[in-house]
Amino acid sequence: MFTGIVEEIGEITAVEPSGDGVRLTVRAPKAVSDAAHGDSISVSGVCLTVVDQGPDWFTADVMLQTLDMSTLDGVAAGRVVNLERATVAHGRLGGHIVQGHIDGTGEVLEVRPGAQWRVLRIALPADLAPLVVDKGSIAVDGVSLTVSDASPAAPADGVHWFEVSLIPETLTATTLGSRVAGERVNLETDILARHVQRLFSFAAPAAHPELTAAAAAPTEGGSA
C-alpha cells in the first residue's frame, strides 16, 4: 500500500528478459536504504517486489500482464522513474490510498504552463472515465494528485480527459515535471470509486450499462 507521495526519482539501469516478462534493475538509494527481500516498492505507480538488492539498487520481476497494462512495456535502461516505499501503518497518509495496481495508461494531451504551476490534460480510456471526478484523487505515474477538471460524461469529440495542476514541488520532485504532449503515463483511479462502481453494477445493471461494462473490464492485479 502506498500514498502517492514520491520519495525519490530513480533510474532503470538494466532490463533483462525473464520468461514472458522482464527483470528490472533500478538505482534507488533511498528506497533500498531499509528495504528487504520481498518488500514492495512503487515504480512510477507499479507495485514491484524486491528480489535482489545492493547498496543503491534493487531488482524486480515484471510479469507480462503488468507490461501490457503499464508504461513499463518496452522500458529500457536510462528511463527515470518515480519511487515510493510501501507506507508504514503508523505513518501519515500524505496523499491518498494507492495500491500500485495500474488500471491502464493515459496520454498527455496538453501541457499548460502557469506562473508557478503547470496543468496537464490527460486522455484516459472510456471505461475509466466514470471513476474520475473533479476534486477527486488519482495517481499518475504513482503521484497522488487532485483532479482539477474533467471532461463531460459524453464529450462531443469522444475523447475523455481529466486535468491535474502540478505545484512546483511536484514538478521538481517527480518525473511529471518533464512530461510533454504525446507521452503515456500510468493511471490508478481511486479505489473507493472502483468499489462503488462494482457495487452499482450489481444494484442497477440495466439502468446504467456504461457502469456495468466498466466494472466488468479487467484491471491490473499488480506484481507484488
Side-chain angles (χ1 to χ4, degrees), residues 41-95:
I41 296 177
S42 171
V43 178
S44 285
V46 180
C47 178
L48 298 180
T49 300
V50 175
V51 297
D52 195 9
Q53 67 186 99
D56 65 350
W57 57 269
F58 72 93
T59 60
D61 292 318
V62 187
M63 61 184 181
L64 179 61
Q65 183 188 17
T66 303
L67 295 175
D68 290 341
M69 292 288 293
S70 74
T71 60
L72 293 181
D73 180 33
V75 69
R79 181 187 295 185
V80 292
V81 288
N82 295 320
L83 299 174
E84 180 190 355
R85 292 169 290 182
T87 188
V88 292
H90 65 276
R92 291 186 175 89
L93 185 62

Side-chain angles (χ1 to χ4, degrees), residues 1-8 40-47 82-101 136-146 170 174 188-191:
M1 194 72 68
F2 308 93
T3 69
I5 304 300
V6 172
E7 296 185 290
E8 68 175 327
S40 296
I41 296 177
S42 171
V43 178
S44 285
V46 180
C47 178
N82 295 320
L83 299 174
E84 180 190 355
R85 292 169 290 182
T87 188
V88 292
H90 65 276
R92 291 186 175 89
L93 185 62
H96 71 285
I97 297 174
V98 177
Q99 294 181 296
H101 300 169
S137 297
I138 192 167
V140 178
D141 277 351
V143 183
S144 174
L145 298 169
T146 299
T170 303
T174 76
E188 181 184 335
T189 57
D190 188 354
I191 185 174

